[in-house]
Amino acid sequence: MDKPRDVTDSELAVLDVLWNQPQATIREITEAIYEDYSPSSHATVQKLLERLEAKDCVARDRSGFAHRFRATIERSDLLDRQLEAVADKLCEGSLTPLLLHLASRTKLSDEERKLLRKLINDRT
Amino acid sequence: MDKPRDVTDSELAVLDVLWNQPQATIREITEAIYEDYSPSSHATVQKLLERLEAKDCVARDRSGFAHRFRATIERSDLLDRQLEAVADKLCEGSLTPLLLHLASRTKLSDEERKLLRKLINDRT
DNA sequence: GACATCTCAGACAGAATGTCTGACACTGCC
DNA sequence: GGCAGTGTCAGACATTCTGTCTGAGATGTC
């Protein structure tokens, strides 16, 4: 029952590229993140992808010469994970206190308030 | 603008004791956390408190021989910090997406739903 | 004064993170 | 076939964070 490691800021940058551009190669990702492409930044991205793969956030297609990567989680999945981690840490795993806490201190526009009411009513 | 470090699980255990028992000494905290009191566990708690102090989570009263500690943040403040950290990381700092996200996937009892509606309506 | 208890400074190992180097494999072109 | 360009992979490396522990010295009690 080992706690899944958090996704790092650098790793998130890689995921961001992958969300915009699925099936990217390491070179493409590197060029998107670092302004100057170099063998070492290429290797850095390689290592980040390797770790993201270990965290089940990325899948690798080995069929071509240069491997192609895609994200296996969406941004909202990651949000879920993070919120669950907070809930585990501070609310015995329950998300409800988070929701109530946020509802009591977040300023909402009329628009958002309306949407939120709808969301609540739709849940059975 | 360095990002404030997260509170560790061990540090949280210390805060938990402090929330139950304000004005505690290191010895009291140590005895509450570790089953066997020892000089080394005492020193460990000392170090955790030192780090919590650096993170502005704990204040120290040096007037007596043995210092007394109290938490300077509540559990809900910590919850706030964590949620803000998630928002910074994934939602450009806005808490609203978190709220909407949670509202759309958290199961609520009728009781909770009622409370949540009230919370929303009370926000101006 | 003897002894327990405290604080404080710092050492220490293990893990996570970001970076980089070197060895080797594949591709395509001459 | 040979070679340059590009890939992968394994691993070294410094830094930081975390939890733990030791030793020196100050303060309290009897």
Side-chain angles (χ1 to χ4, degrees):
Chain A
M1 200 65 87
D2 41 345
K3 179 177 304 192
R5 277 276 121 216
D6 193 20
V7 170
T8 297
D9 285 346
S10 305
E11 289 166 351
L12 184 56
V14 171
L15 280 179
D16 258 325
V17 176
L18 249 27
W19 284 327
N20 282 333
Q21 182 181 353
Q23 305 297 329
T25 62
I26 296 181
R27 182 172 209 103
E28 287 161 356
I29 299 169
T30 307
E31 280 167 351
I33 295 180
Y34 296 85
E35 32 201 64
D36 56 330
Y37 176 88
S38 74
S40 53
S41 48
H42 182 107
T44 299
V45 172
Q46 162 104 26
K47 187 62 79 180
L48 293 175
L49 282 163
E50 190 181 312
R51 288 170 185 162
L52 279 169
E53 213 181 352
K55 290 175 187 173
D56 287 325
C57 298
V58 148
R60 182 191 298 249
D61 170 9
R62 308 179 112 93
S63 59
F65 173 45
H67 297 179
R68 296 206 163 264
F69 296 84
R70 66 180 174 79
T72 55
I73 59 168
E74 295 300 317
R75 196 181 198 85
S76 66
D77 295 330
L78 197 51
L79 188 48
D80 250 355
R81 285 196 196 186
Q82 306 268 326
L83 290 173
E84 272 162 23
V86 173
D88 280 344
K89 198 162 179 176
L90 290 172
C91 305
E92 285 145 1
S94 167
L95 291 174
T96 311
L98 268 60
L99 177 52
L100 297 178
H101 183 87
L102 279 172
S104 70
R105 19 197 106 183
T106 309
K107 285 200 180 68
L108 295 171
S109 67
D110 289 346
E111 201 65 27
E112 289 159 351
R113 199 190 322 273
K114 200 168 163 185
L115 174 57
L116 183 51
R117 269 202 212 91
K118 185 162 152 44
L119 283 176
I120 297 167
N121 292 334
D122 285 358
R123 313 294 298 163
T124 353
Chain B
M1 201 67 81
D2 41 344
K3 179 177 302 195
R5 277 274 120 219
D6 194 20
V7 170
T8 298
D9 284 346
S10 305
E11 289 167 351
L12 185 57
V14 171
L15 278 178
D16 258 326
V17 176
L18 250 25
W19 284 327
N20 281 334
Q21 183 181 352
Q23 305 298 329
T25 63
I26 295 181
R27 183 172 211 104
E28 287 162 357
I29 299 169
T30 308
E31 279 167 351
I33 295 179
Y34 296 86
E35 31 202 65
D36 56 331
Y37 176 88
S38 73
S40 54
S41 48
H42 183 106
T44 299
V45 172
Q46 162 103 27
K47 186 63 79 183
L48 294 175
L49 282 163
E50 191 181 310
R51 288 169 185 163
L52 280 170
E53 213 182 350
K55 289 174 187 174
D56 286 326
C57 298
V58 147
R60 184 191 298 248
D61 171 9
R62 309 179 111 94
S63 60
F65 174 45
H67 297 178
R68 296 205 163 263
F69 296 82
R70 67 181 173 80
T72 56
I73 58 168
E74 295 299 317
R75 197 182 198 87
S76 65
D77 296 328
L78 197 53
L79 188 48
D80 251 354
R81 286 195 195 186
Q82 308 268 325
L83 290 173
E84 273 162 22
V86 173
D88 280 343
K89 197 161 177 176
L90 291 172
C91 305
E92 285 147 1
S94 168
L95 291 174
T96 311
L98 267 60
L99 177 52
L100 296 178
H101 183 87
L102 278 171
S104 71
R105 15 199 109 183
T106 310
K107 286 202 178 69
L108 294 172
S109 67
D110 289 345
E111 200 67 26
E112 290 160 349
R113 199 188 324 268
K114 202 169 163 186
L115 173 57
L116 183 51
R117 271 202 212 92
K118 187 163 152 39
L119 283 176
I120 298 166
N121 292 334
D122 285 358
R123 314 292 300 161
T124 351

